[in-house]
């Protein structure tokens, strides 16, 4: 079958004829994949981190009087009415005192002078640990303050909320760089292909006269787009991996990154990005072929 | 190869074909013509008579304003894109203005015609060498087409048209730039294709010398209208009886 050999040879010819532009296109595709994949990587890591934040995500409502067991279910229902909650714990004065004294251990003597009444009763609310709720924590705590007998609400650590906001911001960045990726790939690739078509205008015209089939004329151009997509996203991901390795080595040990347990994409995501790159570039070349080639 | 065609189905049939270029240039008017398998047909006529237009109509580079054109029994107005592509692979056309790629070599130019049929590189090389030697161009094989003389380019265009051993060869003014010796080579190529390959050949020309002694049909176009040339009309009667 000489068919494949011809298509491949023609593709090679096209690439050689416009190689300067081809390199620029490849770089553009690589760069946009790199930018997108970078933000996406940070984002997915933050997402994973947020699910492991643990007890820090806790709201404590201090009360000015004990809540009798009989009214607890009603209160609980009210809290759950506001948003998804993992669990709610009612802590009475006595329980709070007992907890503190076990925490103090040997030094619990300091409590002797104080009666069990000095600690206020409280309700501990554990919201579901997902990002949407992290950013809603301040609203949640405002709400909790309106509960009967609520005196004060202590809402976890402030940085948690910031973390939530930051991750949301990152989500926007990921979406933006994703759109940039789509635009750059389809447009740049279709533009480059237009150059290929123009540089071969005379040849294409003759091929038409000689009865070249649509496949003979179009497949090499389609292949060109696919190659750009495959090479571009491959290089982009490889660059990101090198960057990731560098960062991981640089900041290994205890610290920010170990907190997040920074990890590279699993193979499925890598494959998906690669495929998306090929698909987008192929779409770009299809667009050009339909537009500029008349059979 | 002169065939008695009266019972054959024609390879090319034109029925009352008129071609008007916008806005109102009548290039071909009400032409009916049958071209039979294996024949050599000379089309003559003054400049602007419509010879090139007729050839373009047959390979569907132009579509008729009115009338029917059939090639190998298929109505060209009904044929699909893929069908036209297949048909063009079997029709060799040597254009009046050559249409070569100046920046490619002679070999590459001729090879293109065979490449679109996915012929093997070896077969292409052999065929190109054969054609170039028939046309006395062997030493020009690796020269750029743009650097050749008009007469050489003309022969390259013919070689490309003949490359696939076409069932129909349309040659538009194939000897316009050639000296008598080169003209002889071209005529021999036609004869070779016609006899060895059974190719049907249509030659548009106003070079009287190439059809003066022929035993084949010669048709004259004049202001877009076709008539058989008086002293070359062996089959004129059979032609119009249909
Ligand atoms: N693309 C076109 N658009 C408009 N008019 C055209 C076109 N091509 C040809 N014509 C006109 O149609 C008529 C026939 O032209 P054609 O090229 O068929 O003549 P010809 O017999 O091949 O002439 P020559 O011997 O000079 O090659 C001429 O009057 C020409 O001006
Ligand atoms: Mg002409």
């Amino acid at each position: 079958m000489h068919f494949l050999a011809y298509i491949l040879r023609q593709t090679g010819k096209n690439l050689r004829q416009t190689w300067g532009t081809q390199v620029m296109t490849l770089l553009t595709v690589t760069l946009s994949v790199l930018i997108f994949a970078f933000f996406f990587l940070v984002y997915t890591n933050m997402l994973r981190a947020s699910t492991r934040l643990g007890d820090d995500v806790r709201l404590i409502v201090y009360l000015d009087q004990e809540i009798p067991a009989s009214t607890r279910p009603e209160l609980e229902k009210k809290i759950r009415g506001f948003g998804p909650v993992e669990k709610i714990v009612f802590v009475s004065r006595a329980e709070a005192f007992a907890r503190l004294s076990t925490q103090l251990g040997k030094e619990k003597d300091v409590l002797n002078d104080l009666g069990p009444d000095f600690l206020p009763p409280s309700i501990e609310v554990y919201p579901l640990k997902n990002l949407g709720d992290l950013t809603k924590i301040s609203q949640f705590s405002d709400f909790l303050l309106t509960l009967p007998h609520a005196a004060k609400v202590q809402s976890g650590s402030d940085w948690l909320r910031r973390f939530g906001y930051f991750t949301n911001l990152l989500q926007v960045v990921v979406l933006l760089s994703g759109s940039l990726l789509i635009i750059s790939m389809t447009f740049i690739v279709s533009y480059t292909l237009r150059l290929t078509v123009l540089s071969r205008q005379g040849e294409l015209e003759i091929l038409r006269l000689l009865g070249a089939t649509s496949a003979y004329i179009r497949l090499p151009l389609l292949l060109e787009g696919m190659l750009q997509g495959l090479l571009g996203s491959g290089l982009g991901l490889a660059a990101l991996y090198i960057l990731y390795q560098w960062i991981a080595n640089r900041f290994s040990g205890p610290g920010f990154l170990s907190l997040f347990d920074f990890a590279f994409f699993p193979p499925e995501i890598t494959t998906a990005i690669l495929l998306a790159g090929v698909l987008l570039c192929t779409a770009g070349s299809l667009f050009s072929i339909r537009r500029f080639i008349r059979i | 190869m002169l065939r008695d065609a009266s019972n054959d189905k024609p390879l090319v049939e034109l029925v009352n074909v008129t071609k008007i270029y916008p806005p109102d240039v009548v290039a071909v008017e009400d032409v009916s013509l049958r071209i039979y398998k294996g024949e050599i047909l000379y089309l003559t006529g003054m400049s602007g008579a419509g010879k090139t237009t007729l050839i373009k109509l047959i390979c569907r580079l132009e579509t008729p304003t009115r009338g029917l054109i059939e090639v190998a029994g298929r109505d060209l107005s009904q044929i699909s894109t893929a069908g036209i592509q297949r048909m063009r692979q079997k029709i060799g056309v040597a254009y009046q203005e050559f249409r070569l790629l100046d920046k490619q070599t002679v070999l590459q130019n001729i090879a293109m015609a065979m490449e679109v049929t996915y012929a093997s590189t070896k077969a292409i090389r052999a065929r190109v060498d054969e054609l170039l030697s028939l046309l006395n161009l062997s030493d020009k094989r690796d020269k750029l087409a743009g650097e050749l003389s008009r007469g050489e380019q003309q022969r390259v265009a013919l070689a490309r048209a003949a490359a696939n051993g076409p069932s129909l060869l349309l040659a538009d003014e194939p000897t316009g730039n050639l000296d008598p010796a080169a003209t002889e080579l071209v005529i021999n190529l036609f004869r070779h294709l016609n006899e060895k390959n059974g190719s049907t050949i249509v030659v548009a020309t106003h070079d009287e010398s190439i059809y003066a002694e022929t035993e084949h049909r010669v048709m004259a176009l004049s202001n877009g209208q076709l008539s058989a040339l008086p002293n070359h009309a062996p089959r004129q009667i059979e032609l119009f009886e249909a």
Side-chain angles (χ1 to χ4, degrees), chain A residues 61 63 75 78-79 123 125 142-151:
Chain A
V61 188
L63 306 162
L75 210 56
K78 214 166 167 182
I79 295 172
I123 311 172
V125 180
D142 286 348
F143 165 77
L144 292 175
L145 209 53
T146 65
L147 294 177
H149 306 300

Side-chain angles (χ1 to χ4, degrees), chain B residues 51-53 96 172-173:
Chain B
K51 302 183 294 294
T52 300
T53 303
Q96 188 168 13
D172 195 353
E173 215 66 72

Side-chain angles (χ1 to χ4, degrees), chain A residues 2-3 6 9 13 202-203 205-214 216 295, chain B residues 61 81 85 88-89 95 99 101 104 112-113 115-116 118-121 124 160:
Chain A
H2 302 291
F3 175 75
Y6 270 113
R9 183 154 13 124
K13 219 170 170 187
E203 197 181 336
E205 179 65 21
I206 305 270
L207 283 174
R208 208 167 67 83
L209 297 178
L210 295 175
T213 58
S214 311
Y216 187 87
I295 297 287
Chain B
L61 229 53
T81 305
Q85 289 163 348
R88 285 195 182 142
Q89 291 183 10
Y95 297 94
R99 302 203 190 201
L101 290 170
Q104 302 211 5
M112 262 176 98
E115 282 168 358
V116 302
Y118 306 114
S120 75
T121 314
I124 292 176
R160 186 181 65 189

